[in-house]
């Protein structure tokens, strides 16, 4: 979750696609999507269907941090690297 | 080839994800094109399938999906196979005398010598009824997995009516309707289970039952 928060906070306000986040974080799809689902339920990430950049391609789900997610990412950036954040995310 | 395999895996993942998270299943599917372009569609699809599988065991909706598959594959389809097997191949389990429908019709007894002609004439109709009950089970299993409860109710009622007819005729012909009655009782239990599954489903989606009955 830490890696995902970091990746999303690097481009705060920009919508990011799932595969792009996989590459940015190194997470596999089996880890990334459950994380995104949970973080969306917790109000840390917002998700939206975005029109494709290239015509003829399907619409894609895109993600960005909410204000609460950004605040958590800032807290995370200010903490020691090994410190767990699970309590804040419960 | 890899892309087709990955699409098949993703369809399976979508089936496991459940209705509440349908949007996320569509999100994974939409991302598959990018995974294909990047050359790793199978790895992407396997990850999605694993995530969907973990979700099945973790959430109550997943328990519901597993239960509905268990009812369809573990109860309804074996009963369908038994009914169809008895109707088409003369399996011995559902009739008096343990010799299948044809054997039961000539299974001794005083009435046999008097009513042999009636028995022989009744065999095709009763076998057809048995076959229809078996095919009804297959259809019920299908609509249960589609969560089409209106269709499940209709097919269940038809199967129950056919079963009641079979019980009546077998009781009259054999003066021993215990096996047929057992079939009817099993069908009633199956329908009770399906009603429970439907109520559980309504717990997740309390809206009106879909009217797309087939």
């Amino acid at each position: 979750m830490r890696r995902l928060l970091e990746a999303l906070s690097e481009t705060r306000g920009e919508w990011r696609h799932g595969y792009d986040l996989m590459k940015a974080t190194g997470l596999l799809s089996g880890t990334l999507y459950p994380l995104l689902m949970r973080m969306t339920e917790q109000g840390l990430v917002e998700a939206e269907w975005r029109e494709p950049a290239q015509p003829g391609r399907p619409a894609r789900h895109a993600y960005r941090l909410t204000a609460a997610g950004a605040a958590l990412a800032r807290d995370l950036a200010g903490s020691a690297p090994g410190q767990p954040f699970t309590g804040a995310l419960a | 080839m890899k892309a087709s395999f990955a699409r098949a895996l993703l369809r399976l993942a979508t089936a496991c994800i459940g209705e509440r998270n349908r949007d996320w299943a569509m999100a994974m599917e939409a991302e598959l094109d990018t995974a294909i372009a990047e050359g790793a569609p199978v790895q992407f699809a396997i990850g999605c399938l694993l995530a969907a599988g973990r979700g099945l065991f973790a959430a109550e909706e997943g328990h519901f999906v597993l239960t509905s598959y268990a009812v369809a594959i573990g109860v309804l389809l074996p009963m369908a196979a038994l009914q169809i097997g008895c109707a088409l191949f003369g399996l011995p389990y559902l009739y008096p005398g343990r010799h299948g429908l044809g054997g039961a019709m000539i299974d001794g007894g005083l009435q046999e010598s008097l009513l042999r002609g009636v028995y022989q004439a009744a065999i095709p109709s009763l076998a057809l009824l048995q076959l229809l009950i078996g095919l009804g089970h297959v259809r019920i299993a299908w609509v249960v997995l589609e969560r089409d409860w209106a269709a499940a109710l209709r097919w269940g009622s038809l199967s129950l009516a056919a079963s009641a007819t079979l019980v009546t005729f077998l009781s009259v012909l054999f003066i021993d309707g215990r096996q047929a009655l057992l079939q009817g009782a099993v069908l009633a239990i199956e329908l009770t289970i399906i009603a429970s599954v439907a109520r559980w489903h309504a717990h997740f989606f309390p809206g009106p039952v879909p009217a797309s009955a087939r």
Side-chain angles (χ1 to χ4, degrees), chain B residues 80-97:
Chain B
L82 183 64
Q83 305 267 5
I84 293 170
C86 288
L88 293 182
F89 308 113
L91 297 181
Y93 309 114
L94 297 180
Y95 303 103

Side-chain angles (χ1 to χ4, degrees), chain B residues 83 128-137 159 162-163 166 187:
Chain B
Q83 305 267 5
L128 180 64
L129 206 52
Q130 186 84 69
L131 181 63
L132 290 177
I133 295 171
L135 294 176
H137 272 78
S159 298
S163 188
L166 195 65
L187 181 59

Side-chain angles (χ1 to χ4, degrees), chain B residues 91-121:
Chain B
L91 297 181
Y93 309 114
L94 297 180
Y95 303 103
R98 301 274 170 184
H99 300 298
L101 183 57
M105 293 293 185
I106 53 172
D107 186 42
L110 179 62
Q111 74 276 18
E112 186 272 331
S113 58
L114 301 173
L115 296 172
R116 177 184 290 272
V118 176
Y119 281 8
Q120 298 301 329

Side-chain angles (χ1 to χ4, degrees), chain A residues 19 23 29-30 37 49 60-61, chain B residues 23 27 31 38 44 47 54:
Chain A
Y19 205 87
K23 289 203 295 188
S29 56
M37 291 163 75
W49 286 99
R60 293 171 71 185
H61 223 206
Chain B
D23 213 34
E31 218 61 19
E38 296 280 337
F44 176 80
R54 283 199 301 270

Side-chain angles (χ1 to χ4, degrees), chain B residues 2-214:
Chain B
K2 280 169 66 177
S4 301
F5 182 57
R7 283 189 198 286
L9 289 176
L10 215 47
R11 289 287 297 273
L12 194 57
T14 300
C16 295
I17 278 176
E19 293 167 44
R20 194 179 293 274
N21 290 319
R22 187 67 65 199
D23 213 34
W24 287 97
M26 290 166 62
M28 293 172 184
E29 284 185 5
E31 218 61 19
L32 182 63
D33 283 341
T34 306
I36 292 170
E38 296 280 337
V42 175
Q43 187 184 20
F44 176 80
I46 287 174
C48 294
L49 182 59
L50 289 175
R54 283 199 301 270
L56 272 181
F57 291 99
E60 188 184 1
E61 191 185 352
H63 298 166
F64 163 78
V65 172
L66 287 174
T67 302
S68 61
Y69 273 86
V71 168
I73 296 171
V75 178
L76 294 171
L77 290 184
M79 275 305 291
L82 183 64
Q83 305 267 5
I84 293 170
C86 288
L88 293 182
F89 308 113
L91 297 181
Y93 309 114
L94 297 180
Y95 303 103
R98 301 274 170 184
H99 300 298
L101 183 57
M105 293 293 185
I106 53 172
D107 186 42
L110 179 62
Q111 74 276 18
E112 186 272 331
S113 58
L114 301 173
L115 296 172
R116 177 184 290 272
V118 176
Y119 281 8
Q120 298 301 329
I123 287 177
S125 303
L126 294 178
L128 180 64
L129 206 52
Q130 186 84 69
L131 181 63
L132 290 177
I133 295 171
L135 294 176
H137 272 78
V138 175
R139 185 63 188 158
I140 293 169
W142 186 273
V143 296
V144 162
L145 294 184
E146 286 187 331
R147 294 155 208 178
D148 186 349
W149 307 115
L153 178 66
R154 195 171 67 249
W155 282 94
S157 302
L158 288 172
S159 298
L160 201 57
S163 188
T165 308
L166 195 65
V167 169
T168 304
F169 275 87
L170 288 179
S171 300
V172 169
L173 289 170
F174 295 131
I175 318 177
D176 178 5
R178 282 176 297 179
Q179 296 290 338
L181 200 57
L182 184 63
Q183 292 181 54
V186 169
L187 181 59
I189 291 169
E190 289 169 357
L191 295 179
T192 306
I193 292 171
I194 291 170
S196 301
V197 173
R199 275 200 298 275
W200 193 6
H201 183 251
H203 169 70
F204 296 111
F205 299 95
V209 175
S212 57
R214 292 167 183 83

